[in-house]
Amino acid sequence: MALEEGGRVDFTRLRQDRRRAVFDAMDAAGLEVLVLGRPANVRYASGARQLWRTGANPFAPMCVVVRATEKVHLLSSWDEGVPPEIGREDLYGLFWDPGHLIAALREIPGFVEAYRVGTDSLTPFFGRVLRDLVPGIELVDASPNLASARAHKTADEIAAIDVAVSLAEAGLAALEEALRPGITERALLGAYIEAVARLGAPTPPTESVVFATPRQGPVRFRYLTGDRTIAQGELVVLAPGALYAGYEGGLARTRIAGGVPSRQATALADRCQRAMETLLEACRAGNVGADLYRAWESTGEPPTEIALANGVGLGTETPLVGFGRGADAVFEEGAVLSVQAWVAEEGTGGFLLRELVRIGEDSPDVLTRSERWAP
């Protein structure tokens, strides 16, 4: 079971290392207080397990980090899932009346004395609240500092991602076992969700897990699974992911539904594998997103309709290299990227590969292990 205790990850050390990275980022930006509202940043700074909710939420000061006291304070009415280093005295409650919330924030030691405060997001209302709370306050966008702090993964973070990858690969095995002509994409999605839930990871990071590619007409990449019935001989994209301790692991493989792959399907698979190897060669410390764009162009494939890479950790992270963005993004040693290659041929179908790689000093370390092509 994928429980967030024991096993390969030292969670106490993990939280200590992340908190130190947050304090270092605050020092580099000259921040005295950090007000966080984005769930991934809250979890990174506090280590608290959060209730999963679908959809987006407006900004609220869910977590307050004070540099002078080295304390992390959480908006929570109970201490379930809160790590032991955050005491009950460090919690502030949920209030319907914003005035009560302002009063609770005012009681946090070191908050009202701050003059430079960073935040990862903001609404006009809370911007006024913070300025009323601390007259003369300088509000700073701390998102770039937090992104940089989160980019370098510690050994414990890599271990957590590795567990998530193992869960995703178990989901891939379930998908491969269930794949057959006549099954629907939705039924395959159900097989995957059941498999990872049995292993203790009931909340998948995405529903973009399965789609069959047509052998007739244009072939387009799809992000959502549908009710389409899979036909004999179709190439089917299987892209499972999983979460462990908030960290995401995932991969993508393409399999054939029944029978022996055609010569054209095998050639398409070979093209995609060569393109992936070319992309991975560009994933080196000190390279930039433009190097990844050039690597793709060197394959001779047409411009891709999906992102070439994005950062991975507590969910999706920076950088994003794709759609014309991220050319200047620097690949930092210790960062983890999700790298993907997609090729398509009308009359044959489409082929997707996705790998997780850790940026090493000399070469990338591929964290995903499943066979890329298993005809």
Side-chain angles (χ1 to χ4, degrees):
M1 294 291 286
L3 301 178
E4 296 182 26
E5 53 194 39
R8 297 171 50 191
V9 181
D10 185 330
F11 284 101
T12 299
R13 183 176 61 199
L14 172 69
R15 295 192 302 270
Q16 290 173 343
D17 289 343
R18 294 191 313 201
R19 197 168 295 123
R20 176 51 53 192
V22 170
F23 290 143
D24 289 344
M26 293 177 71
D27 289 342
L31 300 177
E32 295 168 287
V33 169
L34 196 55
V35 180
L36 304 175
R38 297 191 180 275
N41 287 332
V42 172
R43 183 154 196 172
Y44 187 85
S46 69
R49 289 190 290 240
Q50 300 171 60
L51 180 66
W52 181 82
R53 300 182 303 277
T54 185
N57 299 294
F59 173 81
M62 303 297 297
C63 176
V64 175
V65 183
V66 181
R67 185 65 185 94
T69 62
E70 295 196 343
K71 285 280 192 176
V72 177
H73 304 264
L74 283 173
L75 189 153
S76 181
S77 57
W78 63 344
D79 56 5
E80 173 65 26
V82 177
E85 59 267 23
I86 299 178
R88 292 188 179 182
E89 68 278 5
D90 299 322
L91 306 180
Y92 51 100
L94 297 163
F95 303 101
W96 287 107
D97 185 344
H100 294 311
L101 177 58
I102 294 171
L105 294 174
R106 185 176 285 115
E107 293 300 316
I108 295 177
F111 197 126
V112 296
E113 292 82 12
Y115 64 89
R116 188 173 167 85
V117 175
T119 180
D120 62 349
S121 55
L122 203 61
T123 62
F125 170 75
F126 270 105
R128 292 195 302 270
V129 166
L130 292 176
R131 288 186 172 91
D132 290 343
L133 183 63
V134 186
I137 189 175
E138 180 185 359
L139 286 177
V140 178
D141 180 11
S143 297
N145 306 88
L146 290 167
S148 180
R150 288 171 52 187
H152 178 84
K153 301 297 186 291
T154 66
D156 287 308
E157 289 182 293
I158 294 295
I161 292 172
D162 196 48
V163 172
V165 167
S166 296
L167 292 167
E169 290 177 330
L172 176 65
L175 286 166
E176 291 173 331
E177 183 178 359
L179 177 61
R180 64 183 184 279
I183 194 171
T184 65
E185 294 176 354
R186 185 71 60 187
L188 278 175
L189 176 64
Y192 147 74
I193 292 176
E194 180 183 16
V196 295
R198 286 182 182 275
L199 295 172
T203 306
T206 177
E207 281 197 5
S208 179
V209 174
V210 177
F211 70 91
T213 66
R215 288 180 293 173
Q216 294 181 348
V219 183
R220 299 298 303 272
F221 188 91
R222 281 196 288 132
Y223 289 94
L224 292 178
T225 297
D227 293 322
R228 185 180 183 282
T229 299
I230 294 170
Q232 173 82 20
E234 284 188 323
L235 290 171
V236 182
V237 171
L238 307 175
L243 297 170
Y244 176 69
Y247 287 90
E248 183 175 343
L251 70 161
R253 300 292 185 260
T254 303
R255 301 293 188 245
I256 192 163
V260 178
S262 65
R263 178 174 54 83
Q264 293 85 354
T266 299
L268 192 66
D270 290 341
R271 279 172 52 192
C272 194
Q273 292 183 86
R274 289 194 299 270
M276 174 58 76
E277 287 301 321
T278 302
L279 291 176
L280 293 179
E281 275 297 309
C283 295
R284 298 176 181 273
N287 278 4
V288 295
D291 294 308
L292 210 57
Y293 281 118
R294 283 190 287 268
W296 181 261
E297 291 171 2
S298 74
T299 66
E301 297 291 343
T304 181
E305 58 185 300
I306 63 173
L308 294 174
N310 62 266
V312 171
L314 289 170
T316 299
E317 298 184 352
T318 57
L320 170 66
V321 182
F323 312 110
R325 302 173 62 90
D328 296 331
V330 179
F331 299 158
E332 299 182 28
E333 183 181 354
V336 174
L337 294 180
S338 174
V339 182
Q340 52 186 8
W342 162 257
V343 298
E345 190 71 46
E346 191 168 335
T348 303
F351 202 100
L352 177 68
L353 284 174
R354 182 181 299 143
E355 306 282 13
L356 282 193
V357 297
R358 178 185 177 275
I359 304 298
E361 181 179 2
D362 300 316
S363 61
D365 178 20
V366 180
L367 304 178
T368 37
R369 299 167 290 266
S370 295
E371 192 173 3
R372 289 181 181 172
W373 177 229

